[in-house]
Amino acid sequence: MGGRHGGPIDFGRPVVGTVENTEEMYNLFNKTAKAYDQSGVEFFRPIGRRLVEFSGISAGDSVLDIGAGRGAALFPAAAAVGESGEVVGVDISEEMVKYTRRDAEELGLKQVGLRVMNGQRPEFEAGRFDAVIGSCSLFIWVKGADDVRPYLELLRAGGRFATAAPSFFSTAHGKWALFPDAVNELLMPYMLQSLKQSGAYDSQFANAGANWLVTAESIEQTLAEAGFTDIEVIEEELPVVVESGEQWVEFAYTTGMRGMWERIEENERREVIAEVCRRLDALRDENGVIPVPVPIVYMRASAPEVG
């Protein structure tokens, strides 16, 4: 681990296939790791910064970052805890860990440690951390209270849990806010097809009413059932901009959406990409850029105090 326990290290590939969808995520994010969050589109990093701010992490804390990716929340958390604290980032992808470890070493962040680990069931002792966070990661596999409870167990009494996700509130109306409005009806069928083919993620889109992220109230209920207290949920619009439709497609390829693109037959995929670019390029504003704002949901809660 990092900080009080040494520099960034890797503990080897996790056992895959023992938890639903692990192998799919492992392969997908290994493929995207090098380009992940490197497209020039400011998306994951501002979410990570806001999540750390929202979580209330402070100097000296011990923090676990689930699904650390390329460090969008990991590095802001490291700044928040300072040299007297520690941040342990885990990710299922060996490649993500490789690149993020390199970046941490280049930044001289001795308080940062990295492990290759299945974030669905983190292998740490109970009460190990002051805070557990996950930026645009946990929503992929969490379906209900049972999937959140492992993070509660890792927290000390009064410790903080916080996570962020692209808002699913609009799925109740047949949309997912991660897609720009102009291309939502074009891309949603492909996303649904990909979900059904891969089994990688639950289809929150197809059954929005059963999705724990569909309303603030359902999020609060899920976290309360898991045993958390002092729950707060907010939705904020992230002002994402791209220079062209092509840049948005390139950005999408560097995220978990890559799985959707790769399941579209090649000739059809070229046609879909051309249409996405045409629709988005038509939205260029007076400044020459294309606004594609994305609502993000942030949620935080606390582990109960003792007594």
Side-chain angles (χ1 to χ4, degrees):
M1 301 177 197
R4 294 173 287 221
H5 303 276
I9 51 179
D10 169 17
F11 287 73
R13 177 179 173 178
V15 176
V16 295
T18 56
V19 180
E20 182 183 8
N21 307 327
T22 302
E23 190 73 39
E24 177 79 17
M25 286 188 286
Y26 173 80
N27 292 330
L28 176 61
F29 289 109
N30 263 342
K31 286 190 292 186
T32 62
K34 184 175 183 179
Y36 195 81
D37 206 15
Q38 310 298 308
S39 68
V41 176
E42 283 293 303
F43 183 75
F44 292 110
R45 280 174 286 190
I47 296 172
R49 290 193 296 268
R50 178 67 177 113
L51 177 64
V52 169
E53 175 187 59
F54 184 64
S55 69
I57 292 169
S58 57
D61 280 351
S62 177
V63 178
L64 175 63
D65 182 13
I66 302 289
R70 292 294 300 272
L74 186 82
F75 296 137
V81 303
E83 294 183 0
S84 62
E86 64 169 345
V87 182
V88 179
V90 302
D91 200 284
I92 199 170
S93 164
E94 296 163 327
E95 291 295 296
M96 288 285 194
V97 167
K98 179 182 76 174
Y99 287 111
T100 306
R101 185 198 309 116
R102 179 201 65 187
D103 294 342
E105 290 173 344
E106 289 179 354
L107 292 168
L109 298 176
K110 297 185 181 301
Q111 70 270 44
V112 170
L114 289 159
R115 293 192 183 197
V116 179
M117 184 181 291
N118 185 345
Q120 296 173 72
R121 293 293 184 270
E123 300 167 11
F124 297 97
E125 63 271 24
R128 169 72 175 76
F129 297 99
D130 298 301
V132 174
I133 62 174
S135 185
C136 294
S137 57
L138 302 180
F139 80 96
I140 295 174
W141 61 79
V142 169
K143 307 181 190 73
D146 288 345
D147 298 315
V148 184
R149 202 166 286 117
Y151 310 121
L152 174 65
E153 295 169 357
L154 296 176
L155 289 169
R156 64 167 176 77
R160 296 171 301 285
F161 170 77
T163 186
S167 178
F168 282 83
F169 292 176
S170 63
T171 57
H173 307 291
K175 294 184 177 182
W176 185 32
L178 187 59
F179 292 142
D181 280 347
V183 298
N184 183 81
E185 53 84 17
L186 174 64
L187 293 180
M188 275 300 297
Y190 294 106
M191 176 62 79
L192 287 170
Q193 181 182 31
S194 176
L195 290 164
K196 292 172 182 176
Q197 289 177 346
S198 69
Y201 315 126
D202 266 11
S203 184
Q204 292 97 334
F205 321 95
N207 190 13
N211 176 13
W212 75 288
L213 292 166
V214 74
T215 65
E217 292 75 19
S218 61
I219 293 171
E220 292 166 0
Q221 180 180 350
T222 299
L223 294 179
E225 288 178 359
F228 287 101
T229 63
D230 303 321
I231 301 161
E232 185 175 355
V233 180
I234 61 172
E235 183 186 60
E236 296 180 350
E237 188 172 271
L238 180 68
V240 180
V241 297
V242 296
E243 296 176 357
S244 64
E246 182 180 6
Q247 188 186 39
W248 186 86
V249 172
E250 290 174 354
F251 155 73
Y253 254 95
T254 68
T255 73
M257 286 187 281
R258 177 171 176 163
M260 174 193 73
W261 292 115
E262 290 184 343
R263 284 188 169 85
I264 304 175
E265 190 275 327
E266 185 176 355
N267 289 335
E268 185 178 3
R269 183 167 66 239
R270 283 197 294 266
E271 294 176 1
V272 172
I273 289 174
E275 179 62 13
V276 167
C277 291
R278 186 191 69 78
R279 293 188 188 189
L280 293 182
D281 286 339
L283 302 177
R284 197 177 305 278
D285 66 15
E286 64 274 11
N287 297 314
V289 297
I290 303 166
V292 284
V294 179
I296 304 297
V297 169
Y298 300 88
M299 58 204 85
R300 64 184 175 193
S302 298
E305 297 282 359
V306 175

